[in-house]
Amino acid sequence: MPRISRSTKPDSPGSVRRRRAGLSYLAVFHASPLERIDMIKHGVRAVEAKRILADLAIGQGAGLRALNLSPATVNKKAKQDQTLSPEDSERVIGMARLVGQIEAMVQESGDPAGFDATAWMARWLNDPLPALGGARPINLMDTMEGQALVSTVLAQLQSGAYA
């Protein structure tokens, strides 16, 4: 199975430029479970994980803690252009999928022009939510169950269940 990038055709014009730009959050969200499993098993490049955290503007330290990633390991692997373990990659892919879910929600239910999904997500992750019993979504990012729960709350926001 091909790894997900901004282009699903590796030889398409501009695909090298798009691959350097990193994963498309929307592509990760729309990928099939088997495609995401393939991405996880192949591992996310450590520099890509750092880019995702930088996009979220929650601070690298806070982001690494939220995903239960070792800063020393991620920084070492980034310097050596290595991939993260499948376990670590799974949490990073999960975070990217959540940002993609927000992008998809805005495309389906709003006006995506000028909307910055990563900025919105960074703010929302830190807000205590009644739907989570007052917990902050960022405190649930370290497990797949927690990420699934956050995904459910996002879907409920779109439907108006917790507006």
Side-chain angles (χ1 to χ4, degrees):
M1 257 175 238
R3 294 177 74 176
I4 300 296
S5 67
R6 292 192 188 270
S7 172
T8 56
K9 299 176 185 175
D11 297 322
S12 67
S15 64
V16 172
R17 178 177 37 80
R18 285 189 291 267
R19 277 195 302 264
R20 267 191 245 124
L23 291 173
S24 160
Y25 299 119
L26 202 53
V28 172
F29 176 70
H30 286 301
S32 73
L34 290 176
E35 289 171 319
R36 282 192 297 273
I37 289 167
D38 187 58
M39 293 170 61
I40 290 164
K41 287 183 177 182
H42 281 92
V44 172
R45 290 177 49 233
V47 294
E48 183 70 2
K50 290 179 70 141
R51 181 196 61 86
I52 289 168
L53 295 176
D55 282 355
L56 287 171
I58 56 176
Q60 183 174 321
L64 292 170
R65 278 190 303 280
L67 293 176
N68 196 24
L69 298 174
S70 162
T73 299
V74 172
N75 289 328
K76 177 183 171 189
K77 288 187 175 200
K79 284 181 185 174
Q80 297 173 352
D81 197 27
Q82 295 179 340
T83 59
L84 299 175
S85 70
E87 295 79 17
D88 291 346
S89 294
E90 185 170 37
R91 293 187 302 278
V92 172
I93 291 295
M95 179 72 84
R97 184 179 182 278
L98 289 169
V99 175
Q101 181 178 355
I102 293 167
E103 289 179 346
M105 287 168 51
V106 171
Q107 285 182 354
E108 293 167 8
S109 303
D111 180 9
F115 181 76
D116 184 345
T118 55
W120 185 90
M121 178 86 165
R123 288 187 304 273
W124 185 78
L125 281 172
N126 285 296
D127 289 338
L129 299 178
L132 296 173
R136 297 178 328 148
I138 197 161
N139 294 334
L140 304 174
M141 294 292 101
D142 60 340
T143 65
M144 297 317 297
E145 281 296 313
Q147 289 185 4
L149 183 58
V150 169
S151 177
T152 298
V153 171
L154 286 171
Q156 291 170 337
L157 284 171
Q158 184 179 20
S159 72
Y162 285 98

